[in-house]
Amino acid sequence: MKKYNFNAGPCVLPRQAVEASIEAIRNFDNTGIGLLEISHRTPGWEKVMSDCVALWRELLNIPDNYKVLFLGGGASTQFFTVPSNLMSTKAAYLETGVWAKKAMKEAKFYGEAVTVASSADKNFSYIPKEYTIPKDADYFHITTNNTIYGTEIKEDIDSPITLVADMSSDIMSRPIDISKYGIIYGGAQKNVGPAGVTFVIVREDLLGKVERQIPSMVDYRSHIKNDSMFNTPPVFPIYVMFETLKWVKSLGGVEKMQEINQNKAALLYNEIDRNKMFVGTAAKEDRSLMNVCFVMHEDHKDKEAEFMTFAKEQGMVGIKGHRSVGGFRASIYNSCPVEAIEALVKCMQEFEKKNS
Ligand SMILES: *Cc1c(COP(=O)(O)O)cnc(C)c1O
């Protein structure tokens, strides 16, 4: 049976990126040697690195005063790398979910981390809007897409201080005005590749301002100086990411991606709003285009397990909601084909019919 993969991360990848990566493992760049067996100092690999950086720059229109890094450690490593590099005394955080809280927890090792606003009162089902960013903080940290709760900051916000964004789960889903940000980071495994590589876009002039000594691996300047090859880079995840982004470019880039994502999300949200069996959990204006969270309607609470089984039988994979929200979550990142969403919608419609 055909499977439709809605996993939240790691998630579905474009088929052609997977196939090209398998071939590179067998025979990298027609060298007769596999990608996993070459030195990262070979010219062929250095070209992949520089071409991949160039593709990031092209797709997101990244200005020259920003550097693009591919590192290890996941977004979670950036939770402490960011304050280590930028925080002198104080940093401000927008608390929109578990990932934001985790980021803030790590910042507290370096100074005072303050919560500017929080949506914890309603289980992070919305994005706080009325808040004042403290001008005396070294940076303001946001999580643009809240993977677990299905809320998203869909427009670039204005910040009077350096804006730092965890874009793990919505990078490359829409155009971004990079100049509004100081640092953008994320794990690749949600929207741009497999697990194992972390992207960082950093405005270079922000670095070197803190007084603390920073261990080399945590200091962005070590990685900038060495074009992300201060130590052995995660070559395979970078390669798959490169192939994934070539696919994004072939479709028409991030503007086109945004249009496709808006249409895909609308298909599913319209069905959630129409179908009497289900309700969405996120505030409508903050609904994520990447992670669509929904639960059984109050009148059908007892049918949750039944729908899960029904959906599984129709080939749906990975639609169980995170334990802190419950119900269902369909992650419909860039690489999730519209056919998968159509199949899920059909499944929801059939389930409604079956129960009426
Ligand atoms: C998954 C996720 C993370 C954690 O990423 P790792 O690469 O596993 O450390 C951080 N932030 C957000 C928004 C996420 O979705």
Side-chain angles (χ1 to χ4, degrees):
M1 192 208 338
K2 189 163 171 48
K3 299 279 187 190
Y4 301 101
N5 184 356
F6 294 99
N7 273 309
C11 63
V12 61
L13 290 165
R15 205 62 225 165
Q16 67 192 68
V18 172
E19 297 299 337
S21 304
I22 292 170
E23 184 47 34
I25 290 181
R26 292 203 180 97
N27 178 9
F28 171 66
D29 198 25
N30 284 320
T31 54
I33 299 175
L35 169 66
L36 306 182
E37 302 157 282
I38 53 158
S39 160
H40 54 290
R41 304 287 173 197
T42 57
W45 176 256
E46 285 180 350
K47 186 167 174 349
V48 170
M49 283 296 268
S50 58
D51 286 354
C52 191
V53 169
L55 190 50
W56 270 81
R57 289 192 170 283
E58 181 188 338
L59 287 169
L60 290 177
N61 204 4
I62 300 173
D64 289 342
N65 56 330
Y66 288 77
K67 295 289 176 192
V68 180
L69 303 173
F70 305 139
L71 310 175
S76 302
T77 293
Q78 296 307 309
F79 293 168
F80 61 83
T81 306
V82 167
S84 181
N85 281 267
L86 295 192
M87 188 183 197
S88 290
T89 54
K90 182 172 164 180
Y93 281 73
L94 189 64
E95 193 185 77
T96 52
V98 160
W99 294 118
K101 283 169 74 168
K102 287 187 176 174
M104 195 167 164
K105 178 173 176 242
E106 303 302 312
K108 287 179 178 162
F109 284 103
Y110 298 90
E112 189 190 352
V114 297
T115 306
V116 167
S118 171
S119 48
D121 58 340
K122 290 185 181 164
N123 197 29
F124 302 116
S125 59
Y126 69 103
I127 303 285
K129 314 250 170 10
E130 303 293 317
Y131 53 81
T132 311
I133 302 165
K135 293 214 174 59
D136 62 341
D138 298 310
Y139 63 85
F140 177 47
H141 181 282
I142 58 172
T143 311
T144 50
N145 185 65
N146 298 284
T147 323
I148 294 173
Y149 312 90
T151 63
E152 187 177 12
I153 300 171
K154 292 187 280 271
E155 276 164 26
D156 305 306
I157 64 168
D158 291 306
S159 168
I161 57 174
T162 301
L163 183 61
V164 175
D166 174 357
M167 290 200 187
S168 292
S169 52
D170 64 348
I171 189 79
M172 295 285 178
S173 69
R174 64 171 177 90
I176 331 169
D177 180 354
I178 301 284
S179 70
K180 289 195 167 181
Y181 300 84
I183 293 181
I184 294 171
Y185 69 85
Q189 70 274 20
K190 309 280 166 51
N191 214 20
V192 288
V197 58
T198 313
F199 57 86
V200 179
I201 303 168
V202 51
R203 213 180 78 207
E204 207 176 355
D205 65 283
L206 295 172
L207 304 175
K209 303 263 167 72
V210 293
E211 272 174 27
R212 77 174 56 82
Q213 302 247 301
I214 309 173
S216 308
M217 274 298 283
V218 183
D219 192 334
Y220 288 126
R221 290 170 301 177
S222 321
H223 300 290
I224 290 172
K225 214 179 295 164
N226 293 281
D227 297 320
S228 299
M229 297 212 278
F230 175 74
N231 69 326
T232 318
V235 296
F236 188 63
I238 293 171
Y239 193 88
V240 184
M241 176 173 75
F242 184 39
E243 290 296 334
T244 302
L245 293 180
K246 283 198 229 167
W247 170 84
V248 170
K249 184 179 170 178
S250 76
L251 290 185
V254 290
E255 285 80 8
K256 187 68 191 176
M257 245 22 279
Q258 181 178 38
E259 187 190 317
I260 295 171
N261 287 330
Q262 283 167 342
N263 292 334
K264 273 164 36 182
L267 262 182
L268 192 46
Y269 283 122
N270 287 344
E271 179 58 22
I272 290 167
D273 293 341
R274 186 209 62 77
N275 194 311
K276 293 187 179 56
M277 308 280 305
F278 305 98
V279 279
T281 56
K284 280 194 180 172
E285 70 274 18
D286 299 324
R287 281 174 162 179
S288 167
L289 300 189
M290 302 279 98
N291 310 95
V292 179
C293 296
F294 55 104
V295 293
M296 299 308 303
H297 187 277
E298 264 177 22
D299 302 344
H300 303 283
K301 275 275 175 259
D302 56 323
K303 302 254 164 57
E304 185 171 315
E306 194 187 325
F307 178 68
M308 192 61 88
T309 306
F310 184 76
K312 251 184 212 155
E313 285 165 5
Q314 316 279 320
M316 308 302 140
V317 175
I319 60 161
K320 190 172 168 50
H322 189 275
R323 62 188 177 280
S324 53
V325 179
F328 312 97
R329 168 176 57 174
S331 297
I332 54 170
Y333 301 115
N334 282 357
S335 315
C336 174
V338 68
E339 295 75 43
I341 294 153
E342 287 165 353
L344 177 57
V345 165
K346 189 163 158 255
C347 180
M348 292 163 76
Q349 290 171 346
E350 281 172 8
F351 192 69
E352 187 189 33
K353 263 192 218 123
K354 200 163 110 96
N355 281 282
S356 65

